Amino acid sequence: MNRVIVIVGPTASGKTALSISLAKEMNGEIVSADSMQIYRYMDIGTAKPDKEEMSGIRHYLIDEVNPDEEFSVARFKELATRYIDEILEKGKQPIVAGGTGLYINTLLYNIDFSETVCDWELRDRLKKEAQEMGNDYLHEKLKSVDPVAAQRIHKNDVKRIIRAIEVYEYSKKTISQHQEVSRQIPSKYKFYTYGLKMDRERLYNRINQRVDIMFERGLVDEVKSLVNMGYDKNSIAMQALGYKELLLYLRGEITLEDAKEIIKMGSRRYAKRQITWFKKTEGVKWIDLDLEHDINKIAKNIENDIATNGNFL
């Protein structure tokens, strides 16, 4: 069976550096599983690796769509599978790396979204309900039809709440039921999944430092450029952490220092949710970065682990 390596973990934990080191070690190419790096022109705020960082390693699912384009988890599954197959056909090792838990689970559990449809009118109506009645109202609506999904999806994750309601409206089956059925179909890949973890305080310090570096590299100018290109608060991607706060700053609603602190706090909260998500993901082998700091050594250890069919780490 074709093997696929998956690297997961919270934001700022070092997934990009490890995946690139691993690709060099194992003649690999990388498929990004990051829901923000798919957008063009959004480089600094998404911590997208630049050409120098990529070190000549081919990356997929980066700069895939414009910031005002919809990109669904179903689209991710379709493209990720296509790119993994392309990499395998070249005789190279596919490495999936990213922190978007839903994207990762879609691959690992072979979740199929082909039965579901898109209803833009329903989505717009539900979005308006959230704006007028509040996120709690929409979350309660989901709870009434799919309590399992409501327990899993945070009340502020409006996009996923809307998607779950939409699936139920059209199929009269919950998104949880769709996922359970599709999970029973085995994947055509053998996944080797590794998670990165470290002391929480150290991780939070790395996150704060990363946000500072983003500002030093010109995050404010990046957001200004996006606004000048016509991407405003109504663009899908501009509602993301790091961008929506700077839109508030540019409109004079908050100070730059406040925007920076809100981004840091939001990033730490996001990391906490990622840790919770991946702890529940089956089959993850955790690598403690407090015990082993050398990324290249970790890459070699992963290679040895796969070579021994999971008996090394």
Side-chain angles (χ1 to χ4, degrees):
M1 187 178 287
N2 292 318
R3 69 185 185 197
V4 176
I5 301 170
V6 181
I7 307 294
V8 302
T11 186
S13 58
K15 296 183 296 295
T16 297
L18 176 57
S19 64
I20 290 169
S21 177
L22 196 56
K24 290 178 183 175
E25 188 73 28
M26 299 187 66
N27 187 29
E29 292 185 342
I30 297 166
V31 178
S32 169
D34 185 297
S35 62
M36 291 311 300
Q37 291 185 358
I38 58 163
Y39 292 109
R40 300 184 186 104
Y41 321 122
M42 302 176 74
D43 303 330
I44 299 169
T46 64
K48 202 178 286 179
D50 58 26
K51 290 221 180 301
E52 187 179 346
E53 282 178 278
M54 288 182 181
S55 305
I57 302 296
R58 176 82 184 271
H59 283 64
Y60 300 80
L61 280 174
I62 287 180
D63 294 334
E64 192 74 36
V65 295
N66 289 333
D68 58 350
E69 290 181 60
E70 178 81 10
F71 191 89
S72 66
V73 65
R75 181 77 173 136
F76 168 79
K77 170 92 181 289
E78 175 194 343
L79 290 176
T81 303
R82 182 196 302 172
Y83 294 145
I84 287 169
D85 288 342
E86 282 182 20
I87 296 166
L88 288 166
E89 282 169 17
K90 289 190 276 186
K92 290 177 176 283
Q93 173 62 58
I95 300 164
V96 178
T100 301
L102 194 59
Y103 284 9
I104 295 292
N105 281 15
T106 299
L107 281 177
L108 294 181
Y109 302 146
N110 199 30
I111 297 170
D112 182 18
F113 293 90
S114 61
E115 290 180 49
T116 60
V117 294
C118 295
D119 183 337
W120 292 104
E121 285 185 16
L122 175 62
R123 289 185 186 186
D124 288 342
R125 177 163 59 79
L126 292 171
K127 199 178 293 182
K128 193 174 180 184
E129 285 181 17
Q131 290 167 350
E132 292 176 355
M133 311 288 286
N135 294 350
D136 282 312
Y137 173 83
L138 201 65
H139 196 256
E140 284 298 320
K141 179 174 274 195
L142 173 61
K143 194 182 290 184
S144 68
V145 297
D146 189 353
V148 176
Q151 189 174 11
R152 193 175 64 242
I153 301 172
H154 192 275
K155 67 178 182 179
N156 293 332
D157 196 343
V158 174
K159 185 177 176 182
R160 287 181 61 210
I161 292 172
I162 289 173
R163 181 58 176 160
I165 293 173
E166 179 186 39
V167 167
Y168 181 78
E169 287 287 326
Y170 270 86
S171 66
K172 297 307 173 191
K173 286 196 292 186
T174 67
I175 198 166
S176 311
Q177 288 171 318
H178 279 279
Q179 291 172 357
E180 194 57 42
V181 169
S182 59
R183 282 176 65 153
Q184 292 169 12
I185 303 167
S187 173
K188 61 181 179 178
Y189 310 119
K190 180 172 176 57
F191 293 105
Y192 292 83
T193 309
Y194 301 89
L196 299 182
K197 67 176 184 177
M198 66 178 71
D199 173 75
R200 192 70 62 95
E201 188 176 344
R202 181 183 167 209
L203 176 64
Y204 287 173
N205 286 336
R206 283 171 64 98
I207 289 169
N208 292 339
Q209 186 180 22
R210 174 183 272 189
V211 173
D212 286 335
I213 291 169
M214 285 176 177
F215 275 82
E216 288 167 14
R217 289 182 176 174
L219 180 57
V220 175
D221 288 335
E222 180 169 274
V223 177
K224 284 179 182 176
S225 174
L226 285 159
V227 171
N228 291 336
M229 292 168 71
Y231 301 115
D232 60 10
K233 66 177 182 178
N234 295 317
S235 297
I236 295 162
M238 294 295 273
Q239 296 166 25
L241 180 65
Y243 291 88
K244 63 179 185 289
E245 293 81 7
L246 286 179
L247 286 176
L248 292 174
Y249 160 68
L250 293 174
R251 292 201 298 269
E253 295 179 31
I254 59 174
T255 67
L256 185 60
E257 198 54 41
D258 282 345
K260 184 186 284 191
E261 288 307 310
I262 293 168
I263 293 168
K264 286 180 178 179
M265 183 172 65
S267 298
R268 294 193 299 269
R269 285 177 175 168
Y270 177 53
K272 189 176 179 183
R273 292 198 301 273
Q274 287 175 302
I275 291 165
T276 301
W277 178 287
F278 289 124
K279 275 182 178 176
K280 295 176 183 176
T281 302
E282 298 163 17
V284 179
K285 281 195 172 182
W286 289 98
I287 297 165
D288 192 337
L289 295 173
D290 294 320
L291 301 177
E292 180 55 74
H293 303 279
D294 189 331
I295 288 294
N296 294 327
K297 187 175 178 183
I298 292 169
K300 284 186 170 63
N301 287 345
I302 289 174
E303 183 181 25
N304 289 336
D305 191 58
I306 292 167
T308 59
N309 202 29
N311 295 316
F312 183 80
L313 282 181

